[in-house]
Amino acid sequence: MENTIEGSFDLAEPTRIPAPRGTQLLDSAVRYVEERHWEVFPGTWLEPVEGGERCSCGASVCDAPGAHAVRSDWSSQATGSPSAVRRLWGRQPKASVLLPTGRTFDALEVPESAGFLALARMERMRTALGPVMCGPDRRMLFLVLPGAAAKLPELVRRLGRMPGALDLAARGDGQYVAAPPTRVGGRGGAVQWVRSPTPVNRWLPDAEELLSALAYACGREAADGRSRRS
């Protein structure tokens, strides 16, 4: 019998004493490997400084403080071994949890407001969804089958839209995403699951199954933006 993982990822768990931050990161990384068969690798982390926090990379200006790759060869560091994960986070328990795209999944990325609009539309249509996450940068990521990034421009054109006109992107081969419960500095929050990984969404949808709703929502977002500016 397949073990359920819904409780382990559910954001609406009963109130309890929180585990230390490093333990949460390690436990999550191990679960991603063991229960979803996703590869993971450790990234940077946030270090306390006077009056705030800064990225462990030491850069005075960092695009993703506490949530980016440490090494340029991060791709070779990604692992699907639970023992390797425990060893890596044992060396640095505060390291962010990063997931390479283009291997077991790609990610379709849209603004948060468009993402929630698309979610409501897809739920009404009973569209099968994979896990969905949202970061403190107010960007939402829909996990889909690998290969989405390569074919996204053509799929958008088939819908009668120009790819560059929509705030809709895909992360695929050679890229990665920060996974919950990674905290991103400078934006005041952590990456969270909007739709947690569960046995129900173990099988990911193809990008084409979600694209109509996502493109529609991004088009609405663009039109609303033009109206506000006029």
Side-chain angles (χ1 to χ4, degrees), residues 142-178:
F142 292 74
L143 303 193
V144 295
L145 290 172
K151 62 185 180 181
L152 181 62
E154 178 58 28
L155 292 177
V156 172
R157 290 189 189 96
R158 288 182 193 174
L159 293 174
R161 298 176 180 271
M162 292 301 295
L166 298 177
D167 191 358
L168 170 61
R171 300 194 199 184
D173 190 38
Q175 298 175 288
Y176 58 83
V177 297

Side-chain angles (χ1 to χ4, degrees), residues 30-106:
V30 170
R31 289 201 303 272
Y32 295 144
V33 168
E34 291 184 334
E35 300 171 7
R36 297 299 290 205
H37 305 294
W38 293 340
E39 292 186 353
V40 305
F41 67 99
T44 56
W45 57 93
L46 295 174
E47 294 281 12
V49 294
E50 186 176 352
E53 296 173 311
R54 71 177 178 188
C55 185
S56 62
C57 71
S60 56
V61 178
C62 182
D63 292 335
H68 65 83
V70 175
R71 299 163 28 171
S72 59
D73 64 341
W74 60 263
S75 181
S76 64
Q77 192 183 22
T79 179
S81 164
S83 59
V85 169
R86 292 186 178 94
R87 183 171 64 253
L88 289 167
W89 268 267
R91 294 172 185 163
Q92 181 42 257
K94 295 188 293 182
S96 54
V97 179
L98 306 180
L99 311 176
T101 51
R103 300 185 183 187
T104 51
F105 64 84
D106 278 10

Side-chain angles (χ1 to χ4, degrees), residues 1-17:
M1 180 181 294
E2 185 179 46
N3 292 329
T4 179
I5 62 174
E6 185 169 6
S8 56
F9 284 101
D10 193 354
L11 294 177
E13 292 181 339
T15 302
R16 62 186 181 186
I17 299 173

Side-chain angles (χ1 to χ4, degrees), residues 212-223:
S212 178
L214 289 172
Y216 168 80
C218 289
R220 281 279 303 273
E221 175 92 359

